[in-house]
């Protein structure tokens, strides 16, 4: 009987101590303040401050602009949460991050959902149906601000690239631009060039008529063969009758 009670008592003590430890740990983690995933929301605080002003009250145009700015911040935070969720899940599965960060992330998701609902409600309070378009307007304004920031930094970017190109040109690398070296002229080259320019700028002598040389009688130029045929006979002289033609004439007689 004693042999049966000993293991049972051992199990009771072990499981009881585990339960007590879990209860204490949960109480401590519940009272521990979690670090928020996002910092404070200044645009929301600004809108609430303007809305609570009564002397003098804020104009509708100012309240609408503050609400749109608040929606722009919500869009940025929502985009970041969607981008961080897959990476955070992978890190949590590998054990690279703790549960505190995942709990803070989930709290941020719930907060942004409540923020979106509140912004839609505030937009519909100004104009009916504006809540369905306010976040689209916020996305367009964010894209416009991004393009404007890129345009304003064009001059600085050109300056940085020019400085970078100059440094690369002085110290070329294998993949960088090659260094161009201009050869310096010798010291006497300028005097030679000036003398050549003076000779070229001097007036040219007048052109004198040149007589064509006549063919002398004792020259070695062969005589003209215009009137001589290829077989050595003159073209203009009558041909002498051949022997065959003479024999034919005798036969006819």
């Amino acid at each position: 009987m004693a042999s049966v009670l000993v293991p049972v008592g051992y199990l009771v003590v072990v499981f009881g101590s585990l339960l007590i430890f879990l209860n204490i740990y949960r109480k401590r983690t519940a009272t521990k303040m979690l670090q928020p995933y996002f910092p404070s929301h200044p645009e929301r605080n600004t809108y609430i401050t303007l809305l609570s002003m009564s002397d003098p009250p804020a104009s509708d145009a100012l309240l609408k602009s503050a609400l749109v700015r608040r929606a722009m911040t919500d869009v940025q935070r929502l985009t970041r949460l969607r981008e961080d969720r897959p990476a955070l899940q992978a890190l949590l599965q590998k054990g690279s991050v703790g549960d505190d960060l995942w709990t803070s992330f989930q709290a941020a998701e719930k907060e942004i959902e409540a923020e979106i609902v509140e912004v839609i409600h505030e937009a519909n309070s100004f104009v009916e149906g504006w809540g369905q378009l306010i976040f689209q307007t916020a996305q367009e304004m964010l894209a416009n601000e991004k393009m404007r920031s890129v345009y304003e930094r064009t001059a600085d970017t050109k300056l940085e690239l020019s400085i970078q190109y100059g440094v690369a040109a002085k110290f070329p690398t294998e993949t960088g631009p090659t260094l161009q070296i201009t050869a310096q002229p010798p010291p006497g080259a300028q005097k030679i060039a000036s003398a050549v320019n003076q000779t070229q700028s001097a007036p040219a002598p007048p052109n004198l008529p040149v007589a064509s040389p006549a063919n002398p009688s004792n020259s070695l130029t062969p005589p003209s063969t215009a009137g001589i045929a290829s077989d050595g006979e003159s073209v203009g002289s009558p041909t002498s009758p051949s022997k065959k033609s003479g024999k034919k004439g005798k036969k006819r007689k």
Side-chain angles (χ1 to χ4, degrees), residues 190-244:
Q190 296 180 356
K191 296 181 180 179
I192 297 172
S194 62
V196 172
N197 293 330
Q198 289 178 2
T199 55
Q200 290 180 357
S201 61
N207 296 326
L208 298 177
V210 179
S212 59
N215 292 328
S217 59
N218 57 354
S219 65
L220 298 178
T221 304
S224 176
T225 58
I228 302 175
S230 63
D231 55 355
E233 297 180 353
S234 177
V235 178
S237 61
T239 57
S240 59
S242 62
K243 297 180 180 181
K244 292 181 180 181

Side-chain angles (χ1 to χ4, degrees), residues 38-47 64-82 108 111-113 115-116 119 134-143 145:
F38 291 113
S40 61
H41 204 315
E43 287 79 9
R44 179 180 58 190
N45 298 335
T46 302
Y47 176 77
K64 288 179 181 179
S65 61
L67 185 61
V68 170
R69 182 62 62 178
R70 179 181 176 183
M72 291 170 63
T73 305
D74 293 340
V75 169
Q76 290 178 345
R77 293 190 174 187
L78 183 61
T79 304
R80 182 180 172 184
L81 288 174
R82 290 177 179 177
E111 182 181 357
I112 199 66
E113 289 177 0
E115 177 69 16
I116 289 172
V119 169
I134 187 171
F135 287 102
Q136 183 178 357
T137 306
Q139 289 179 355
E140 292 176 358
M141 292 183 67
L142 285 173
E145 285 187 354

